Amino acid sequence: MIDRVEAMTDEMVAFARALVAIPTVNPPGENYAACAELIGARLAEFDYEVAYVTADGFAEHSERYPRVNVIGELRGVPGAPRGATVGPRLHFNGHFDVVPAGEGWTVDPFAAVVRDGKLYGRGSTDQKAGIAASIFAIEAIRREDVRLAGAIEQSGTVDEESGGFAGMAYLAERGYISRERTDFVIITEPLNVDRVCLGHRGVYWFEVATLGRIAHGSMPFLGISAIGKMADFISAIERELKPALSTRVTAMPVEPAEARRPSININSITGGQPASGFQTPCVADRCEAIFDRRFLIEEPVERVREEIHAILRAMAARDADFRYEMKDLMTVHPAQTDAKSQLVSTMAGAVRDILGAEPPLIASPGTYDQKHVMRLGHVDQCIAYGPGLLHMAHQPDEYCRIDHLVDASKAMALTAMRLVGAH
Ligand SMILES: [Zn+2]
């Protein structure tokens, strides 16, 4: 069966190229329907029952940019819930949206160029190669006429790069991914072919606005500078919050290791008159900044929020001119699958058998759709494993090595056999 995967290399690369050649750029979410249909057509050809799940009712869903997900179940195994006579259900998921190409490319980001054993293009690593790898892993099993005792599903979903709400979250909310029917989920994100990813940290985005009082720029003492107040808040973060954060370390095996401590980043800041515009002399009466706080699985989200509120309250208590507004923008809870679970040990064993070395079990500093599988679908065995190199994601000249694509597909095929194969 491993040889069968190897023999399908050209077919697999051709399919990955076809996926990369569809610019599914998010935002705004271009060509989702076309990409879903390409995946759906291939699944149908490989004997899956295919359904398209459109997330209407979302602000980002529109006639021009429809949010179309695709899900397929391999035929030949009766689709019955767990507890019935069939074995476990294994679900492979990959997102097919990609971030904008950006600057600095030496190849056309959507030409799907193959050169020196690498497939180049936006989304090659993150994560269209992953979708090709899992589809051909199962196809190798099917072409070998191996009988399966359980069920296999594959999905291609949208909007992972913008939170996955119309994608994997929607499938989980609609019951396609749920504890009642789904035993194992493998998300084919690029965490390197030789590593298995158990989960990810949490994210808390918030916005703080400081409020000042406008005055003539030649007499700033008559006003209150909102920008100055924001500077005070930022220096409080530097002086008070950052040292506290640096003392906390997670037990999760986050890679890179620097990300085992929580962090805070200022994502944007705007105040006063737009810098690009014609200026008149004024004291800025409003300044807004957006903060990205990454938190550990050991940090309760209420504490993460309260820490920020406490700093702001203390500043207002010290300084009568410090007035502010604070708003939550987004919270993503951390997620982690037990390292001793059947899914992790089976996947790790398969990677070891293909590559000849024990794969490190890691966790991701950034978030991906695992949170939706675990938090909304309540499926407790979910991992990320895929062929791309993590450091290539979102880069110019993004590529996926073809030997990694094939090796990942082999490891996925072995994993599927061991989890749902007939014994
Ligand atoms: Zn991704």
Side-chain angles (χ1 to χ4, degrees):
M1 203 209 11
I2 298 309
D3 298 342
R4 177 73 78 163
V5 175
E6 185 82 41
M8 292 191 305
T9 299
D10 289 351
E11 241 182 300
M12 194 179 338
V13 171
F15 183 62
R17 291 188 65 191
L19 290 172
V20 171
I22 300 178
T24 44
V25 176
N26 179 24
E30 285 163 9
N31 304 303
Y32 281 176
C35 197
E37 278 159 28
L38 180 71
I39 295 167
R42 184 55 62 105
L43 289 173
E45 193 186 310
F46 289 172
D47 203 27
Y48 287 71
E49 184 82 46
V50 175
Y52 295 93
V53 182
T54 301
D56 35 26
F58 281 78
E60 54 273 38
H61 170 85
S62 64
E63 207 159 302
R64 177 139 183 237
Y65 301 115
R67 267 44 199 172
V68 185
N69 301 284
V70 60
I71 180 163
E73 178 174 352
L74 188 63
R75 288 198 182 90
V77 282
R82 188 162 59 169
T85 48
V86 297
R89 178 178 297 262
L90 168 61
H91 185 105
F92 285 98
N93 164 259
H95 70 84
F96 59 74
D97 60 314
V98 303
V99 295
E103 303 295 317
W105 288 76
T106 64
V107 293
D108 177 341
F110 298 106
V113 173
V114 173
R115 186 187 295 160
D116 303 329
K118 296 168 183 158
L119 165 59
Y120 285 88
R122 174 56 83 227
S124 54
T125 269
D126 188 9
Q127 52 118 100
K128 288 170 168 172
I131 295 175
S134 70
I135 290 177
F136 281 84
I138 300 307
E139 180 61 6
I141 295 175
R142 194 180 74 94
R143 289 188 195 176
E144 290 284 303
D145 270 331
V146 175
R147 207 168 63 84
L148 293 174
I152 300 270
E153 278 175 353
Q154 309 243 13
S155 63
T157 52
V158 302
D159 284 356
E160 188 279 338
E161 299 289 0
S162 50
F165 301 104
M168 209 44 173
Y170 191 75
L171 292 191
E173 272 161 4
R174 287 301 181 96
Y176 290 96
I177 313 283
S178 73
R179 175 168 47 201
E180 286 69 34
R181 67 191 305 272
T182 317
D183 296 85
F184 311 110
V185 176
I186 297 174
I187 299 177
T188 55
E189 285 278 12
L191 276 307
N192 298 11
V193 68
D194 55 355
R195 307 192 294 187
V196 175
C197 183
L198 306 178
H200 55 72
R201 302 188 304 173
V203 186
Y204 171 51
W205 283 52
F206 62 93
E207 181 182 312
V208 170
T210 47
L211 313 175
R213 194 171 63 233
I214 195 162
H216 198 288
S218 66
M219 296 173 285
F221 44 84
L222 296 179
I224 298 169
S225 169
I227 297 173
K229 297 301 174 192
M230 184 62 79
D232 291 347
F233 176 58
I234 291 169
S235 74
I237 285 183
E238 295 292 332
R239 279 194 328 269
E240 298 168 33
L241 185 61
K242 282 192 176 174
L245 298 185
S246 70
T247 63
R248 301 174 200 161
V249 186
T250 183
M252 259 176 125
V254 182
E255 284 296 335
E258 292 91 323
R260 289 183 195 168
R261 294 172 199 275
S263 61
I264 186 163
N265 178 52
I266 305 169
N267 211 65
S268 81
I269 184 160
T270 5
Q273 299 171 31
S276 56
F278 190 74
Q279 302 288 309
T280 52
C282 282
V283 173
D285 58 356
R286 188 175 179 92
C287 182
E288 294 166 348
I290 292 176
F291 297 84
D292 176 354
R293 166 83 160 83
R294 300 297 168 126
F295 63 100
L296 311 178
I297 203 162
E298 293 87 352
E299 293 182 290
V301 66
E302 302 73 31
R303 174 178 168 187
V304 170
R305 268 198 208 105
E306 175 49 30
E307 250 171 359
I308 306 296
H309 282 286
I311 291 171
L312 289 164
R313 278 198 310 267
M315 292 182 70
R318 281 198 300 268
D319 173 3
D321 288 340
F322 187 82
R323 290 188 303 128
Y324 67 94
E325 292 164 0
M326 148 99 186
K327 177 161 88 184
D328 288 355
L329 296 180
M330 178 182 71
T331 302
V332 172
H333 295 278
Q336 180 174 230
T337 291
D338 188 348
K340 294 185 199 64
S341 62
Q342 189 188 359
L343 178 59
V344 172
S345 57
T346 307
M347 186 83 241
V351 174
R352 183 184 56 230
D353 291 347
I354 297 301
L355 299 178
E358 193 65 42
L361 305 180
I362 62 154
S364 167
T367 166
Y368 55 92
D369 279 337
Q370 183 161 343
K371 59 201 177 247
H372 301 313
V373 174
M374 300 187 82
R375 293 257 165 190
L376 299 173
H378 303 287
V379 177
D380 57 6
Q381 295 196 54
C382 176
I383 56 169
Y385 175 76
L389 295 167
L390 179 59
H391 70 267
M392 286 311 304
H394 303 195
Q395 292 281 333
D397 283 352
E398 175 182 345
Y399 67 80
C400 180
R401 280 174 50 169
I402 286 165
D403 58 338
H404 287 177
L405 169 62
V406 175
D407 283 344
S409 186
K410 289 175 180 174
M412 290 172 188
L414 272 189
T415 301
M417 286 285 298
R418 291 171 183 175
L419 288 173
V420 300
H423 295 291

